[in-house]
Amino acid sequence: MENVTDELLVKKALEARANSYSPYSKYRVGAALLCDDGTVYTGCNVENASYPCGICAERNAMSSAVSGGHRSFSKIAIAGSSDVICTPCGMCRQFMYEFNPGLTVLCAANDGRFETHSLKELLVGGFGPESL
């Protein structure tokens, strides 16, 4: 996919929410991850009655991309289902840091408004491979 704009990535994240399985929190989240080669992977949150077994949209999208052979990512859009801008949880911030501490993170609300952040801004002092 060529010329993926921030707006298009946010739109794909909003669309990915439709597949969310969130019977407990009722908070639907979608994510769209842009690989360095222009490929886009999407994901949604999938909850479980045993709460720790669930997976967030961001980790779902990134895991799909890794399973597809991708390791280089430039940008991710995350869209929640409320009027409040949706930011990634701490676990997702750490998960994304593994692959690109400089990742651009587009955080969106239900209506498509979004803010742009760097992952380093969202996860100060992150723990990565160089930390070992």
Side-chain angles (χ1 to χ4, degrees):
M1 177 176 260
E2 293 182 34
N3 196 23
V4 178
T5 64
D6 290 355
E7 291 76 15
L8 178 59
L9 206 59
V10 168
K11 180 179 183 246
K12 289 187 171 297
L14 289 164
E15 291 170 353
R17 289 181 318 177
N19 294 322
S20 170
Y21 177 74
S22 46
Y24 307 105
S25 72
K26 309 287 191 260
Y27 187 70
R28 302 165 73 83
V29 181
L33 176 69
L34 178 62
C35 300
D36 284 350
D37 71 355
T39 305
V40 175
Y41 282 85
T42 60
C44 62
N45 59 323
V46 180
E47 296 179 348
N48 190 283
S50 176
Y51 293 166
C53 291
I55 187 167
C56 297
E58 303 91 303
R59 287 182 287 130
N60 193 334
M62 195 165 272
S63 294
S64 293
V66 170
S67 294
H70 294 273
R71 302 283 189 281
S72 298
F73 314 112
S74 58
K75 196 175 292 187
I76 189 166
I78 305 154
S81 57
S82 75
D83 293 335
V84 177
I85 296 287
C86 179
T87 59
C89 73
M91 188 181 294
C92 286
R93 293 175 196 206
Q94 178 60 50
F95 192 89
M96 294 184 292
Y97 192 91
E98 177 77 15
F99 295 95
N100 183 358
L103 187 70
T104 298
V105 183
L106 308 174
C107 302
N110 192 44
D111 62 4
R113 288 177 297 111
F114 66 93
E115 301 173 347
T116 304
H117 299 279
S118 72
L119 184 55
K120 284 184 178 180
E121 173 190 349
L122 295 173
L123 183 65
V124 177
F127 185 88
E130 70 286 345
S131 303
L132 300 175

